[in-house]
Every structure is written in C-alpha cells, then in structure tokens.
Amino acid sequence: MTPLRKQRDYRLLWGARTVSITGSEVSKLAIPLTAVTLLTASPAEMGLLTAAASVPALVFGLQAGAIADRLTRHRPAMIACEVVSGLAAATIPLAWLLGILNTPWLIAVALVIGTAAVMFKAANFPHLAVVVSPAQRTEAMAGLQASYSVATVAGPGLAGLLVQFLTAPLAVLAEALSFLTSALLLRSIRTQDRHEPARSQGMWRDVVEGLRAGATNPVLRALLGAGVTINFFAMTYVAVHMLYMVNTLGIPKGLIGALIACSGLGGLLGAWVTTRVAARFGENRVLLVSVLFFPLEILVVGLLGGPLWWKVGVLAVTGTLTGAIVVAFSTCMGAITLQEATPELRGRVNATMTFAVQGVMALGGLTGGLLAEWIGLRAVILLSAAGIALSAVWIWASPLRPGRAGRHPTPSPDHVP
C-alpha cells in the first residue's frame, strides 16, 4: 500500500487544511485588533464578535450534517465554502480602504465564515473516506490533526508580523488568500468523488436520525459523552487560566505565547506517535490511555508554585505532553467515529458530535467565569481538573474497553480507493 506521504491527493487535502487553518489563526488576532484599535468597539460589540464565530455551529451545525449526507459529491461543496470564506474575508481590508468598515461588518463577515466552516467540516468528514483507504484513516486523521498544531505554532507569530508591517485590516488578506489557496488545492484532487446519498425524509427527520445514531450506538455515545465532558471542563479552565497565570503564578505575558506554542509542538509529536502506537495496539487502547492524562496540565497549574524558572519549565513540559495527548485522543476518536457510523450517516453523526462538543464550550466558559467570582480562581482550576477526569468514565465503561461485551470492530461497508 502506498504511504500517505506519497499519495498526491492526500497531500493536497492536507495542504489545503494546513493553509486554511493557518490563515484563520492570523485572523484570530487581526480581526479583534481591527475592532479594538481602529473601530473602538465597545465590550458588548466585542462579545458579539467573539460569539459570532461559534453561533453558526449551534444554529446550522445539525442541518449541515443532513445536507452533507444528501450530496452525491462533497468536494464541490468544500471548494465553494472556501471561496465564499475567502471573498468574505477580502471585504474587510477593502471596506477599510474605502472608509466604510465598522464593527457590524466584522460581525457579519465572522458569521459568513463561521457558517461556511460548519458546512465544510460536515462535507470534509465523509470526503476523507473517499480519498483515503480504511487501513490508513488513523494516519490520515493524525496528519490532519497535525495541521492544527502547525497552525498553532506558526499562526500567532505570522499574525504578529503581518499586523506589525501591514496593519490589522490588511493582515486579514492573509486569511482571504489562504481560503482561496485551499480551494485551488482541493480542486486539484483527482480521486473520484462519489457518494451514495442518503434518502431524505425531510430536514427534521434527517437530523433526528443523526442524533439517534449518536445516542443509541454505545461506542458513539461514549465518544460523545467524553467529548462533551472534556470540552465543558476545559472551557471552565480556559475562562480563568490567563488571569491565574498572570496574576497568581506571575508568568510574564511574553512567555505565555511561548507556552501556547509548546502545545502546538506537542501536537506535532502526538500526530507522529499516534499512527505508530495505534497501528500496534489499536485505536481503542490509545483512547483508554490518553483520556487518563487529560487532567494532568490543569492539575499541575492549580498546584504549581516555586521560582519562575521552575514554573515555566513545568508548564512547558506539561503543555507539550497535553498537546500530544489531545491529538492522540482526537485522532483515534475521529477514526473510530468514521468506522462506527454507516456511510449514509457520517455527515450527520459528525455534525451531531460537533454540535454538542462546540455548543457546550460556551456554557463551560460562562460557568468558569461565574464560579471564579464565587469560589476563586484556584478552586475553579482544581474543579476543572476533577471534572475533566470524569471523561475517563465514559471511555472505560464503554465497549471500547477490551473484554467488554458489545464491541463490534468490523468496519462498516466502504468504498476502498
């Protein structure tokens, strides 16, 4: 079997995602800076701008999965999403140069790009099954997870340089160009893009069928429960960790960016290790072990003390390890989901998981902020560590655990390229 690194179409798919995500990382800095420094946005407007990125997943996420399952070809929809996003992003520097840019414009662009991203993800998940053979899906998932790690490492630094030399609105051009480059790379893929569309029973019934599949399949239910638990408590931690790092641990602001980059480097390491470990021991065992390490970094942050050099060193090590663990878990979770969901339900199952996992993030962030006002920063961090540890219960009590009844590892019927 040809290694993935030598498969032209997978390289194009991987390159498209890496370029697109890196451009998005640039905009995460450039767009808020535009709102704050040039448009003097109010706190309420900044809140709306921040929420605009996640609202489409909540409003449109489940329907996107149903639409993806109805498509005969997924790639044209993916290309269209990237083109729409690129054109929307390009309106920001254009409007700024014309003197008509305002905060509602930024919010509208964020909503358009967010909606396109939701549709893209819904189509991309089943499309991967066409480009990559079943035996190589875990490795392919690891490679795509590595894209996010590359973007985490390269994106913020690139954003800083572009904002410094081009100003924030013009830096958004990098995002626009990244989307359009991604569309061109996707268009160059030659693998036949054919999918047997699911028979539609109406949008609502199609959505319910996807929800039912996620809730009734014991493996998918365990993955869904673990994902929701992890993201809820991770966001309660994220809501307060910056304040805690700066005000309680005394970490210099300039070093926080370097510590975030450690997580990205860990993700690259995790992508490389996961394919080899999963090939030897199986995705199930990787999940069972990796989920046990999720509380580690949060617990260390909550208990850490000592001189600055010690705190920074420990945080760098745990951040790198956590980055690797997150990629290992996400990779195997995606591979198992692709295996467990039948081909006609893949778009909806993936959309159901995305909807639940992303939807709970806003609730977790709000909970963390409110709890900190009541019980303090350290208590919230320790509570987050305890809460995220509960995700192990979902995985270890499921058929994913060796020896438990009900696990049927036989892959679903598939087209093998």
Side-chain angles (χ1 to χ4, degrees):
M1 186 177 296
T2 306
L4 278 181
R5 66 180 181 276
K6 294 183 179 181
Q7 293 182 24
R8 175 184 177 275
D9 285 353
Y10 177 73
R11 293 201 309 268
L12 288 169
L13 180 62
W14 185 89
R17 296 310 300 139
T18 303
V19 169
S20 181
I21 297 166
T22 302
S24 296
E25 286 294 319
V26 171
S27 72
K28 285 181 181 179
L29 176 64
I31 290 180
L33 278 178
T34 299
V36 171
T37 61
L38 297 180
L39 304 178
T40 59
S42 67
E45 288 175 324
M46 289 302 295
L48 289 172
L49 182 59
T50 301
S54 57
V55 164
L58 297 176
V59 175
F60 182 60
L62 295 175
Q63 297 92 320
I67 293 171
D69 283 337
R70 294 177 183 179
L71 297 176
T72 303
R73 300 175 63 205
H74 291 114
R75 200 177 306 133
M78 295 161 60
I79 294 170
C81 289
E82 294 292 73
V83 171
V84 168
S85 297
L87 295 177
T91 66
I92 292 177
L94 179 61
W96 178 68
L97 291 172
L98 294 175
I100 59 175
L101 184 64
N102 53 34
T103 304
W105 191 302
L106 294 180
I107 293 172
V109 169
L111 287 171
V112 170
I113 293 176
T115 301
V118 169
M119 189 63 235
F120 183 97
K121 291 177 182 177
N124 184 55
F125 189 73
H127 178 257
L128 182 66
V130 175
V131 176
V132 178
S133 67
Q136 294 178 308
R137 285 178 186 162
T138 300
E139 184 181 355
M141 290 280 185
L144 294 177
Q145 287 293 329
S147 296
Y148 292 92
S149 300
V150 169
T152 301
V153 174
L158 178 60
L161 290 174
L162 291 174
V163 169
Q164 181 70 29
F165 290 106
L166 298 178
T167 72
L170 290 179
V172 181
L173 272 176
E175 181 181 31
L177 292 174
S178 72
F179 283 129
L180 297 177
T181 301
S182 173
L184 290 174
L185 292 172
L186 291 170
R187 192 175 183 276
S188 301
I189 295 176
R190 297 172 182 166
T191 302
Q192 185 180 14
D193 181 19
R194 300 296 300 176
H195 172 254
E196 186 66 33
R199 185 173 60 86
S200 176
Q201 304 176 36
M203 180 61 73
W204 176 242
R205 289 186 178 181
D206 288 350
V207 167
V208 169
E209 191 174 5
L211 292 170
R212 186 183 297 115
T216 57
N217 181 302
V219 173
L220 295 177
R221 184 171 61 242
L223 295 176
L224 183 61
V228 167
T229 303
I230 289 167
N231 272 22
F232 177 84
F233 287 104
M235 290 308 294
T236 64
Y237 167 70
V238 168
V240 301
H241 95 284
M242 194 67 72
L243 284 172
Y244 188 82
M245 296 271 280
V246 174
N247 297 335
T248 303
L249 295 183
I251 305 297
K253 296 176 183 177
L255 287 177
I256 291 177
L259 291 174
I260 293 174
C262 286
S263 177
L265 292 173
L268 292 174
L269 175 64
W272 181 79
V273 171
T274 300
T275 55
R276 289 152 179 80
V277 174
R280 181 171 181 179
F281 299 104
E283 290 86 357
N284 292 14
R285 287 185 172 85
V286 174
L287 279 182
L288 288 163
V289 173
S290 61
V291 75
L292 298 176
F293 287 88
F294 267 102
L296 177 63
E297 182 182 18
I298 302 176
L299 185 62
V300 166
V301 169
L303 300 177
L304 192 58
L308 179 62
W309 66 267
W310 168 254
K311 289 185 286 191
V312 171
V314 171
L315 290 173
V317 171
T318 55
T320 302
L321 179 60
T322 298
I325 291 299
V326 168
V327 167
F329 184 90
S330 299
T331 296
C332 293
M333 178 178 177
I336 292 173
T337 301
L338 200 56
Q339 173 181 298
E340 289 289 330
T342 56
E344 66 273 10
L345 281 170
R346 280 176 179 155
R348 281 169 284 177
V349 167
N350 183 58
T352 297
M353 292 197 168
T354 300
F355 174 82
V357 168
Q358 289 194 356
V360 80
M361 290 172 72
L363 182 60
L366 180 62
T367 301
L370 294 176
L371 274 179
E373 296 282 350
W374 180 36
I375 63 177
L377 296 175
R378 187 188 296 270
V380 170
I381 288 174
L382 295 177
L383 178 64
S384 299
I388 210 168
L390 296 175
S391 59
V393 176
W394 285 100
I395 301 299
W396 279 80
S398 76
L400 292 165
R401 178 179 163 190
R404 288 188 63 86
R407 175 70 176 134
H408 304 289
T410 304
S412 56
D414 249 316
H415 165 72
V416 180

